[in-house]
Amino acid sequence: MTRPKTQSDEQVLETAHRLIHEHGPEALTFERLAKACGLSGATLVQRFKNKAQLKQRTLLHAWDGLDHNTRTLAATVPRTPAGAVALLVSLSQGYGGIESYAEGLLVLREDLRDPVLRARGAAWKAFLCGALATCFAETPNPPRDIGLLMASHWQGSLLWWSFDPAIEVAAYVEDSLNRFVAAITTASARKP
């Protein structure tokens, strides 16, 4: 008869994700995770097999959360340029301060190294760009690939904020995106 799990895989993966963000991806070990979640190292090895699989499952779990959050937000924002800004500002809320953002870049490195994780990123990008594009459906003459242009501007604004994080990230992103939308809609309105 098997023993019941004292913690679900999801709970363990949440703890592993927190460890990755606090100490970097390379610091995720079965020993450190065992101490953090209270399960034995042997139990964790039995569940996750090896460190590479543990890291991949942790990051896939994080992608699941981001996908869910993005879809939920996309379903609730107005289908307007202001709704597109609201969607991206809401997604920016989770970055925290500069230290948290910098640690997140180490996690991104892991996503880029692993083809499975990279594919999840590509799928998220496609959904996000589509959701953003729908927010410009009523805008006259929106630029081709407006969703991708807006997502790219958002990611660029996050990076530029990180060099001078004098204000809260969401406020910086909101101001930057509002100026981007104003420029796009003004230029689109001028087109014949």
Side-chain angles (χ1 to χ4, degrees), residues 62-106:
W63 276 111
D64 290 344
L66 181 59
D67 285 341
H68 175 75
N69 190 28
T70 303
R71 289 178 188 283
T72 300
L73 289 168
T76 61
V77 298
R79 302 288 184 259
T80 62
V85 171
L87 171 59
L88 295 175
V89 169
S90 293
L91 288 174
S92 302
Q93 301 289 340
Y95 284 113
I98 185 60
E99 290 301 320
S100 177
Y101 180 78
E103 289 300 324
L105 293 176
L106 291 175

Side-chain angles (χ1 to χ4, degrees), residues 33 40 43 79 179:
L33 182 57
S40 73
T43 297
R79 302 288 184 259
R179 287 185 285 121

Side-chain angles (χ1 to χ4, degrees), residues 99-167:
E99 290 301 320
S100 177
Y101 180 78
E103 289 300 324
L105 293 176
L106 291 175
V107 176
L108 178 61
R109 180 187 71 175
E110 297 304 313
D111 289 329
L112 297 175
R113 289 177 167 177
D114 182 326
V116 172
L117 297 169
R118 199 167 49 243
R120 284 297 295 273
W124 177 72
K125 172 194 139 202
F127 177 81
L128 178 63
C129 291
L132 293 170
T134 65
C135 291
F136 287 84
E138 300 298 318
T139 302
N141 306 312
R144 190 171 63 95
D145 294 328
I146 183 60
L148 178 60
L149 290 171
M150 187 148 190
S152 298
H153 183 86
W154 170 54
Q155 287 296 298
S157 70
L158 289 168
L159 182 63
W160 293 124
W161 165 83
S162 70
F163 287 110
D164 186 19
I167 65 172

